[in-house]
Amino acid sequence: GAGVSQTPSNKVTEKGKYVELRCDPISGHTALYWYRQSLGQGPEFLIYFQGTGAADDSGLPNDRFFAVRPEGSVSTLKIQRTERGDSAVYLCASSKRPSGGAANEQFFGPGTRLTVL
Amino acid sequence: QKEVEQNSGPLSVPEGAIASLNCTYSDRGSQSFFWYRQYSGKSPELIMFIYSNGDKEDGRFTAQLNKASQYVSLLIRDSQPSDSATYLCAVNKGNTGKLIFGQGTTLQVKP
């Protein structure tokens, strides 16, 4: 079956601009996660959705970052007034189970490489 | 202290050898543990998860968990050059879906 898909694969923008990154999870997966990964580091958690609601947004670095999942499937990560420090690979993952516990197998999409000039 | 720690490596092993990758975590409340493989320029790919003390085997891979010592390891038997990648350890605390990742260990398997 189809995996997690993310668009665009690459995004180059200028400092101060607004960007939207899209994630389409695996069909039937109720939980969706956003992470970002800088070079040489592991992914860093940003936000997690269970259905349409953000169950945990503790990883969002500041109020320039916002994410939505209006119909409980596709999610959009929105970054306002981008800064050079926002440059990273933004990864989306989805899982069947809504939370942690014994197994919370998360499957990642290919990522969006964001470059802020 | 980072929540999840891994030696960044690189760890270099000859083809056919056993590669041993280690990870320690700081929160005793952590409940489940995951190993991901990440090839250069690609996204993480789930290899295994473990949540009970002891060993869990899947093909050439064995995950080991010791909650008392707060470490989890991944053994790769009969290492192949195609196993050369960065291996990420991730921990879930159970009260939320988020994973906390280590920085990853780079493995090089030399023919």
Side-chain angles (χ1 to χ4, degrees):
Chain A
V4 178
S5 62
Q6 292 186 246
T7 54
S9 55
N10 280 283
K11 177 69 177 179
V12 180
T13 191
E14 294 179 342
K15 180 175 178 294
K17 298 291 188 182
Y18 168 83
V19 296
E20 289 189 351
L21 312 179
R22 175 189 165 106
C23 172
D24 197 344
I26 293 171
S27 178
H29 281 195
T30 59
L32 184 147
Y33 313 82
W34 284 99
Y35 296 83
R36 72 176 176 182
Q37 187 175 25
S38 300
L39 195 62
Q41 301 299 315
E44 173 192 11
F45 171 78
L46 295 176
I47 186 170
Y48 143 58
F49 288 89
Q50 169 48 36
T52 60
D56 183 352
D57 64 358
S58 62
L60 294 178
N62 52 58
D63 62 5
R64 296 187 298 105
F65 289 74
F66 189 71
V68 295
R69 195 186 185 198
E71 297 178 358
S73 179
V74 171
S75 176
T76 304
L77 178 66
K78 308 180 181 192
I79 311 175
Q80 299 177 322
R81 303 183 305 280
T82 52
E83 300 178 355
R84 293 193 179 88
D86 299 335
S87 296
V89 176
Y90 288 80
L91 295 164
C92 177
S94 69
S95 71
K96 285 184 184 177
R97 290 184 175 85
S99 65
N104 177 27
E105 301 156 66
Q106 297 182 23
F107 299 91
F108 283 83
T112 294
R113 181 175 299 277
L114 175 65
T115 304
V116 182
L117 301 177
Chain B
Q1 180 188 10
K2 293 182 181 178
E3 287 197 64
V4 180
E5 298 213 48
Q6 297 180 257
N7 187 321
S8 61
L11 172 66
S12 183
V13 300
E15 183 175 356
I18 296 175
S20 177
L21 303 156
N22 300 311
C23 171
T24 58
Y25 59 94
S26 61
D27 190 336
R28 287 192 174 275
S30 301
Q31 295 190 3
S32 48
F33 308 85
F34 301 81
W35 283 100
Y36 284 83
R37 177 175 62 198
Q38 186 171 30
Y39 292 112
S40 181
K42 301 296 185 182
S43 61
E45 172 192 6
L46 181 63
I47 300 175
M48 292 187 71
F49 67 89
I50 186 169
Y51 52 88
S52 297
N53 274 328
D55 295 1
K56 179 181 179 182
E57 186 174 320
D58 184 359
R60 295 187 297 114
F61 299 95
T62 298
Q64 299 175 317
L65 175 60
N66 183 323
K67 289 189 176 181
S69 300
Q70 295 176 244
Y71 84 79
V72 57
S73 62
L74 179 70
L75 302 178
I76 307 174
R77 288 181 299 282
D78 188 24
S79 295
Q80 301 297 308
S82 59
D83 294 326
S84 298
T86 295
Y87 289 80
L88 296 161
C89 171
V91 171
N92 176 266
K93 297 183 183 181
N95 57 347
T96 175
K98 72 180 182 185
L99 295 179
I100 308 298
F101 283 85
Q103 70 176 84
T105 298
T106 299
L107 173 66
Q108 297 174 346
V109 181
K110 300 198 171 180

